[in-house]
Amino acid sequence: MTHPAAGRRPLVWALAGLTTVAYGALYYAQPLLAVATEHERGWTRAQTNLAFTLALLVTAFMAPAVGRALDARGGRGLLSVGALLGALAFTLLAASTTYVVFLLGWLLAGAAMALTFYEAAFTALGQQVQGAVRTRATLTITLIAGLASTIFVPLTTALLGQWGLKGTFLGLAGLLLLAAGVTWSGLPPERTRWSAAGPSVPFQPDPPFRTLTLAFTLARIVTVGIGLQLAPLLLAAGHSPALAAGLTGLMGLAALPGRVVFVPLLARFGALPLTTALFGQLAAGAALLHFAQNPVLAALGIVAFGLASGALTLARAELLAQRYPPEVFGAANGRMARPVNLAQALTPFGVGLLLTWTGGTAGRCGC
């Protein structure tokens, strides 16, 4: 069911605002909140990391059920509830004085992530628009939400300096509450034509779906693993802290133009060939980081890696939308999201073990 693009602008901007606030508050602010929590409440890094890892695991395990619920009920209520859960989670974290309550707060935050991150937003979008309009709208959402870390890292830092930990939690809760209101106002109240009766044929994973799921899961392991270890790798290669920080930031910056160029390339080459090429580019960028001592090769690898990583966010949604009808898109997206998000949650632990077994990055930079 396709609607005119102009009539969908409130929908697109509401989803863009929701995902920006959700990623910024629930994901990118977490390292800063963790450090402040450790200093104020005396908990260890292991304790704060465990809480966030459990939140990501909740997000992963909820993904299939959230996808099916979105197919059946539409996105307006569920996505709004997701933002409200985020506000409740941060209010609980602000009031927490025991570690058990702190854990409960982050478990609620994990449920909020499942209902407000890209998987949920793209499902709600696909229930209202299709074809080229949906592709352009997806690009708009990801370009705006791609600024979440740029906005929320300095914002959280400023809030911690002015309001302290409790005030920062409450301030972020207020932004999530505002996002809930914008989502409720911006998403259409009417159900789509399939929502009342539900999908006529339940989603069943087929071999191509399993292959795509494996590919995107492996890609997430690579992107998270390299993202975590890029700065230590560059420092171990002998670069100055300033250069290492600049090159690390370059990866995130490259993701945005990667998404912009994806749309014209999609029209020229098609979703599957383009996605295959992006996986190859991701591998090539990672391979260039083997020569991290050479700043030119390192920069080329980082840019190639960042461009591909950014474009793959759109590629995943495009492939699913082209292969599966809107009435089961949520189920397919949620089914794929579970292993992908599990990989995101568990990769930091796995990379830590790998570095322990292999002796870390020092001396292994392609010297």
Side-chain angles (χ1 to χ4, degrees):
M1 184 167 77
T2 303
H3 299 269
R8 298 298 96 190
R9 285 173 186 162
L11 165 72
V12 174
W13 287 105
L15 291 175
L18 173 67
T19 51
T20 302
V21 173
Y23 274 106
L26 297 168
Y27 190 84
Y28 290 112
Q30 187 274 338
L32 297 169
L33 296 172
V35 171
T37 300
E38 292 156 19
H39 288 165
E40 182 169 310
R41 297 175 184 173
W43 295 331
T44 66
R45 180 62 49 87
Q47 288 176 303
T48 56
N49 281 352
L50 174 63
F52 189 60
T53 298
L54 290 175
L56 294 176
L57 290 174
V58 168
T59 304
F61 282 112
M62 282 185 62
V66 168
R68 293 191 298 269
L70 287 168
D71 286 338
R73 298 180 179 87
R76 188 190 194 199
L78 287 170
L79 269 63
S80 300
V81 166
L84 288 174
L85 281 177
L88 176 61
F90 275 16
T91 302
L92 190 60
L93 289 167
S96 65
T97 56
T98 67
Y99 186 64
V100 172
V101 177
F102 181 77
L103 277 179
L104 179 59
W106 277 109
L107 291 176
L108 281 176
M113 294 181 209
L115 288 161
T116 56
F117 279 8
Y118 283 147
E119 289 88 359
F122 292 164
T123 300
L125 177 69
Q127 291 174 343
Q128 304 298 327
V129 294
Q130 289 296 306
V133 175
R134 179 193 51 76
T135 302
R136 290 193 297 270
T138 304
L139 173 62
T140 299
I141 292 168
T142 56
L143 285 178
I144 295 172
L147 299 173
S149 63
T150 305
I151 297 169
F152 275 82
V153 169
L155 174 62
T156 304
T157 302
L159 289 176
L160 287 168
Q162 293 294 319
W163 294 357
L165 180 61
K166 183 176 180 179
T168 300
F169 274 129
L170 292 176
L172 294 175
L175 289 176
L176 286 161
L177 191 63
L178 177 62
V182 171
T183 302
W184 182 262
S185 300
L187 269 63
E190 75 275 6
R191 290 186 172 191
T192 52
R193 63 184 176 212
W194 58 81
S195 295
S200 57
V201 179
F203 170 73
Q204 294 294 333
D206 51 14
F209 176 83
R210 296 188 183 94
T211 301
L212 286 174
T213 299
L214 177 61
F216 280 103
T217 301
L218 293 174
R220 183 61 60 88
I221 292 172
V222 172
T223 54
V224 172
I226 287 183
L228 285 171
Q229 294 303 318
L230 181 58
L233 175 72
L234 294 169
L235 290 171
H239 299 300
S240 68
L243 181 58
L247 289 173
T248 301
L250 188 60
M251 181 178 290
L253 290 175
L256 295 180
R259 292 168 182 169
V260 172
V261 300
F262 175 84
V263 174
L265 291 176
L266 174 68
R268 182 176 179 87
F269 297 108
L272 187 57
L274 180 55
T275 303
T276 303
L278 288 171
F279 284 134
Q281 181 175 325
L282 198 72
L288 283 173
L289 292 176
H290 182 70
F291 307 98
Q293 279 194 325
N294 186 316
V296 175
L297 291 179
L300 287 175
I302 288 167
V303 170
F305 194 93
L307 288 169
S309 177
L312 283 171
T313 301
L314 297 178
R316 177 176 154 194
E318 192 66 32
L319 283 170
L320 288 174
Q322 290 188 10
R323 288 193 60 85
Y324 304 103
E327 57 266 33
V328 297
F329 179 88
N333 202 14
R335 191 73 171 261
M336 181 177 287
R338 175 179 283 179
V340 172
N341 291 343
L342 278 174
Q344 178 166 322
L346 297 176
T347 293
F349 177 73
V351 169
L353 284 180
L354 180 63
L355 291 176
T356 299
W357 292 338
T358 60
T361 57
R364 304 181 65 86
C365 305
C367 305

